[in-house]
Amino acid sequence: MHIETNNHGDVLVVKLFESRLDSYVATDFRDAMDGFISQGSERIVLDLSKVEFVDSSGLGAIVTTQKRLGRARDLVICGPCETVMRLFKLARLDKIFQIVNTEDQALTVLEV
Amino acid sequence: MHAPTEPSTPSVQPDASTRPPRILVVDDAPLNRKLLSAILDREECQVLEAENGERAISLARTESPDLVLLDIMMPGMDGYEVCQALQADEQTRSIPIIFLSALSETADKVRGLELGAVDYVTKPFDRGEVLARVRSQVRIQRLSESLREANRELRVQAKTLQSDLAAAADIQAALIPRARPEAKCFDMAWRYVPCTSIGGDVFNLVQLDEHRVGIYMLDVSGHGVPAAMVTVSVSQTLTPQGGVLTDPNAEGEQIRSPDEVMRLLDDEYPMERFDKYFTMFYMVLDTRSGELRYCNAAHPAPTLRRADGSLEYLSEGGTIIGMGGVMPFDEGRVTLRPGDRLFLFTDGIAEYTGDDGEYGEERLEEHLAAAPAGDVQQACDEVVDSVNEFGNGRHPNDDITIVALEYRGRSPGDPSQT
């Protein structure tokens, strides 16, 4: 799994370089996110702009990450494509997650 | 060390990699056998000797040597015939054979190799050459043996897993209705196509009281065994005795409202519990009045096709089950009239991907809208057939479930029927 991270103040920006966040990648992804949280990251921007498809396992991994962070407001998702956004909407998670178009907007939301 | 005189040792040696290699030397000339035995003895090989082809075949069967050194020119059966016989026998087929002969013509070597021999040594023997060829063949033989053993174990394990899966599939098949319900006020049919032998989709209907039925469909995230096991657990919870669909201690109304059922499940199945969530649709249908109360927890919205052909979608509800109450679950209400049809399905249909992309919600909707009146089973079959046709028979990558229900209404003069 290819993932890249950047720190902006206390916010960790995680960019996933996988076209599919599905059952093959979900466990690794969840473990990586778990690792960031265990290492002290409390606010995370998840950049999904390179992801073209998320299945139920992938969605589960994102939800787990959000729940591990504790407060829903501490996870901001940016750049989901139309297909991924459709999934968020179907699961009504668009009402729970903060979802924006760009990384800059995400950082603004988190007031960095 | 020379050939043991006691009867054969077991053909499968548990310590095959540590015991000395056992080598069968076949030559009609006693001097040659003696010479080879002397060479091999120093390598700490166990040497078995045979002076003709018949004896060689019998020893190969009973002693399972690691290697056969086989002379070609022998009275009676010659080496080629012995080689063919050993190759033809299941029990001796895997024993490697090195031909020994004064013949040094290429054609003879080729013939020997074509018959299945692994190597060739020419007389007079060079000690170093014999040992080098024997060592390398014994090493290969040992490796092949351990591979064969590993393969055997894997096959046994795969077989066990297969039969476990088949048993699990049987258990799961018991979670959905056995047969079409014999209800007078409505008709119901379905098709269920798991993507592996077991899946993460499940649906059922539960008689809640005299005239009300509960119908649910859920789709657990992921698929295969873990998802299937969650469907078993949730199905147990959703039995009439499970304590969720009804509250036997309640005064007055004991049947829980669909949104309340979702709240209880959301409590009972937090994502952290099994690392799974599920989408679900649950409805309570009053079969006498057609009144339908439902809650949709992020499940693909069931399509209600009215008798006049218009379409409605049952989308009131909330998010996926397992989020731990981050959002309220709302209840939706609609009233069925005779001739109305309700279709419940999982996302495996719209998201089914063939060579031409996704099957898609639009295609599904077109099918449901166009479905002719008549048998509801036929309506389900047509959707699944259309998915199969779209994918050119390619097996689905997610479980596919569709349930069709047609409301008939109460026939006059029978107030009690469901």
Side-chain angles (χ1 to χ4, degrees), chain B residues 241-259:
Chain B
Q241 304 78 28
V244 169
L245 299 185
T246 56
D247 178 5
N249 300 320
E251 288 174 28
E253 178 65 276
Q254 298 192 331
I255 295 171
R256 288 209 171 92
S257 67
D259 52 316

Side-chain angles (χ1 to χ4, degrees), chain B residues 189-261:
Chain B
W190 57 84
R191 280 289 292 275
Y192 168 58
V193 187
C195 74
T196 53
S197 58
I198 55 176
D201 287 2
V202 73
F203 68 93
N204 210 343
L205 86 170
V206 179
Q207 191 76 43
L208 296 170
D209 67 7
E210 234 174 42
H211 55 92
R212 280 181 291 181
V213 289
I215 296 176
Y216 63 81
M217 175 179 284
L218 62 98
D219 179 357
V220 179
S221 62
H223 29 247
V225 175
M229 299 205 43
V230 174
T231 65
V232 175
S233 171
V234 180
S235 297
Q236 282 311 114
T237 311
L238 294 175
T239 54
Q241 304 78 28
V244 169
L245 299 185
T246 56
D247 178 5
N249 300 320
E251 288 174 28
E253 178 65 276
Q254 298 192 331
I255 295 171
R256 288 209 171 92
S257 67
D259 52 316
E260 179 63 15
V261 166

Side-chain angles (χ1 to χ4, degrees), chain A residues 83-96:
Chain A
T83 315
V84 174
M85 195 58 206
R86 203 178 64 195
L87 179 75
F88 286 141
K89 280 188 175 151
L90 180 69
R92 302 183 195 218
L93 292 170
D94 57 321
K95 299 193 175 89
I96 298 166

Side-chain angles (χ1 to χ4, degrees), chain B residues 101-228:
Chain B
S101 182
L103 301 171
S104 58
E105 294 296 319
T106 309
D108 299 311
K109 292 184 186 172
V110 168
R111 183 170 174 207
L113 294 174
E114 273 174 358
L115 286 174
V118 293
D119 210 343
Y120 208 101
V121 180
T122 325
K123 294 176 193 173
F125 304 125
D126 175 79
R127 193 188 123 78
E129 186 190 354
V130 170
L131 285 179
R133 292 190 192 277
V134 165
R135 277 187 208 130
S136 93
Q137 286 310 327
V138 166
R139 197 170 57 239
I140 292 170
Q141 171 68 354
R142 295 258 154 113
L143 284 173
S144 317
E145 212 167 283
S146 59
L147 264 180
R148 275 194 296 273
E149 181 57 31
N151 217 334
R152 227 180 346 257
E153 276 170 28
L154 277 176
R155 273 205 302 270
V156 169
Q157 281 174 9
K159 215 172 159 191
T160 312
L161 270 177
Q162 277 301 326
S163 66
D164 283 358
L165 268 181
D170 284 348
I171 293 170
Q172 201 179 30
L175 302 180
I176 67 172
R178 234 172 259 273
R180 286 167 74 165
E182 287 179 28
K184 294 205 175 91
C185 295
F186 67 94
D187 192 10
M188 185 174 144
W190 57 84
R191 280 289 292 275
Y192 168 58
V193 187
C195 74
T196 53
S197 58
I198 55 176
D201 287 2
V202 73
F203 68 93
N204 210 343
L205 86 170
V206 179
Q207 191 76 43
L208 296 170
D209 67 7
E210 234 174 42
H211 55 92
R212 280 181 291 181
V213 289
I215 296 176
Y216 63 81
M217 175 179 284
L218 62 98
D219 179 357
V220 179
S221 62
H223 29 247
V225 175

